[in-house]
Each structure stands twice: as structure tokens, then as C-alpha cells.
Amino acid sequence: MKLIFLDIDGTLTEPGSNTPPDSAVDAINKARAKGNKVFLCTGRNPDMLKPLLRYDFDGFISCSGGYVAVGKNYDEVLYNKPMTDEERDLALKVLHDNGVFCTIEAFGGAWCDENIGEFLNAQGEGNSELERWRKAINENLGIKPIKEYNGSPVYKIVVMCKEISQLDEAKRVLSDYNFVVQDMAAFKCINGEIVNKAFDKGLGVEIICKKFGVPVSETVGFGDSMNDLEMIQTVGTSVCMSNGSEALKKLSDIVCPSVSEDGLAKAFVDLDLV
């Protein structure tokens, strides 16, 4: 039996989409029928996962490792470590004081600063494309205005700003958190996420391996970006999508075709998972 871990955005689906290719769904079903177990391994929170849970999985690692659940109805929680209310409030205050735009990702949903669109459009030519993409993501994933935040436990904060120095104070006061940052040079802005150092996707893989008594060497992980790094470093066989990060490709055992080219299905065949 192999344990298979799938990132979602850019791996199982196009970024922000809730519909995987039919070939991927077929491959997952065949892999499970063969006796393997398949898990989602994503930065998405449980609420954002709901549209994908209509497909059959054996569990999920969500919130970049902060919430791990298995079972038929995903009701067996193996790991759960949200921010404390004090950490959440401090992080938002410091980030907002430094002009950083935030999206808080919680168990029950995600909420973002409402004027982020104005920020993106003000950064110059090209950012209108990013703003269109952001709006589509928000609509597909149900991201709501931050004024509607209902106190649901928060696992990570996604940040966007103009200069990396705007994150300096937050890095000082949130020493227990990793800042996973991407410089989106084409859009003249910084984008990233703040995640507790106590967990990551790799730890989630290890927790599920322990639950099912399967050695880590018998796992396969699929990802596309550097927020999949710990998963890629942990699994027995690592696979990066051809549409993925060049840095991650260099660290992966295999590079398979892109999500739009039935990459998962082809890799499942090549790795004898179906």
C-alpha cells in the first residue's frame, strides 16, 4: 500500500479551481481501488476544501499542516494547532500598521482586507491582471470581507505588500512563525503567507504515516510550488508538476506533465499507482 499526497492548486486543479480534470479523478479512484490511500495536502483551510470533498479521499492535510483529519467523514482529527487569539490580533495589528494587506485563513473560511484591489491597481501596468485573478479566486473559494470575520480559529495569514521591509516588524514580534514569501516581480508586489513553525506539510505526512503504520518511504507526494517544499522533502517519491516552481523541480525526484496536460493521471501510471 502506498500513501499518496496531493497538493490542490496548480497540482490537482488549476489554481483557484474546484474541479480536477476527469483523468485525475479516474486515477485517484483507480489508485484507491488498488489498495492505496490518497490524501489532499494543501494550504487551503477546511472550508475551502469542501467543494473537493465530493470526490473520495482518505483524509487531508489542510492549513499547510495545521489541521490534519482522516476517516470516511474526515471526523478523526489527528492534529489541530490554530493561532491563539492573542497571536492573531498581534499579527493583524502589526501587519496593518505597516501597510500590509492580509487574508486570514481559518477553519470556517477566509476573510481578506477589502481595499486590496485598490492597492493592486495602484501598483502599475499589469496588476489589473492580478486583480482579475484575485477576484476569481475569491469568488471560487468563498473569501469574504474581513469586516465579516466571525472569530473562527485562524491557522495562517496570507500577506501582500509593496516592499519586503514592510514585513520586518512582524518577523520580529512573531518569532514562532515562518514567513514564506514570493517576490512577484512581474506585478511589483510581495506575496506570501505566515505559518506557525510548529507544523508544515511534511509533519502532516509523518502524522498520517504513523496513523496507518506505513513507512514514509512508501509515500508519494505531488506539488507545484515552494509551499510544498516540506512535503516534497519528506515523502519517499516526490513529484513536481511541469507548471510548477523551477526551484521545486530541482528538488523533486520526478517532473510530470502539467495539471492541464493530465499530469497526475500520467504520473500515477508511470509510478504503478493504478
Side-chain angles (χ1 to χ4, degrees), residues 18-263:
N18 291 315
T19 306
D22 291 341
S23 62
V25 175
D26 183 58
I28 290 166
N29 291 337
K30 287 179 178 177
R32 296 180 76 236
K34 190 175 179 179
N36 301 304
K37 293 186 181 295
V38 183
F39 305 86
L40 296 173
C41 187
T42 178
R44 290 193 189 191
N45 60 56
D47 187 70
M48 287 180 176
L49 282 178
K50 288 179 182 177
L52 282 158
L53 296 182
R54 67 181 184 271
Y55 307 102
D56 290 327
F57 297 97
D58 296 286
F60 59 77
I61 299 166
S62 66
C63 304
S64 298
Y67 187 92
V68 181
V70 298
K72 185 174 178 60
N73 297 310
Y74 312 107
D75 51 4
E76 184 176 354
V77 179
L78 303 181
Y79 188 83
N80 182 20
K81 190 174 178 59
M83 285 180 151
T84 66
D85 290 349
E86 291 77 16
E87 288 173 326
R88 176 201 64 206
D89 293 345
L90 175 61
L92 289 174
K93 181 181 186 307
V94 171
L95 291 166
H96 285 150
D97 285 350
N98 284 277
V100 178
F101 292 86
C102 303
T103 300
I104 51 176
E105 295 200 8
F107 183 88
W111 292 264
C112 70
D113 289 329
E114 295 174 72
N115 53 347
I116 191 171
E118 298 173 12
F119 161 75
L120 290 173
N121 288 331
Q123 302 314 307
E125 186 177 353
N127 277 60
S128 58
E129 178 186 345
L130 182 57
E131 170 59 1
R132 284 194 296 272
W133 173 82
R134 184 194 66 82
K135 285 182 177 178
I137 296 287
N138 285 6
E139 291 170 3
N140 287 339
L141 301 185
I143 299 175
K144 299 172 282 292
I146 204 166
K147 67 181 180 182
E148 298 176 12
Y149 172 57
N150 62 8
S152 180
V154 174
Y155 292 83
K156 67 176 184 175
I157 300 176
V158 177
V159 296
M160 186 172 287
C161 55
K162 188 173 182 179
E163 305 289 345
I164 191 69
S165 59
Q166 291 174 261
L167 299 175
D168 288 348
E169 184 180 3
K171 289 178 180 179
R172 286 195 298 273
V173 301
L174 299 170
S175 58
D176 290 336
Y177 283 77
N178 283 318
F179 285 67
V180 183
V181 177
Q182 303 176 60
D183 184 348
M184 301 175 71
F187 298 109
K188 299 184 178 65
C189 66
I190 304 295
N191 179 247
E193 56 188 28
I194 301 172
V195 184
N196 197 314
K197 291 178 180 178
F199 59 77
D200 55 48
K201 290 184 177 183
L203 176 62
V205 168
E206 293 174 349
I207 289 170
I208 288 179
C209 285
K210 182 178 180 180
K211 164 66 181 176
F212 291 99
V214 174
V216 173
S217 60
E218 294 301 303
T219 63
V220 183
F222 292 78
D224 72 301
S225 69
M226 290 305 286
N227 61 14
D228 297 312
L229 176 62
E230 289 82 5
M231 174 186 70
I232 291 296
Q233 291 175 327
T234 301
V235 293
T237 302
S238 55
V239 186
C240 184
M241 313 303 289
S242 66
N243 54 275
S245 158
E246 292 302 319
L248 195 70
K249 290 177 188 177
K250 293 176 182 177
L251 297 170
S252 300
D253 298 316
I254 298 168
V255 176
C256 75
S258 70
V259 59
S260 61
E261 297 172 320
D262 299 317

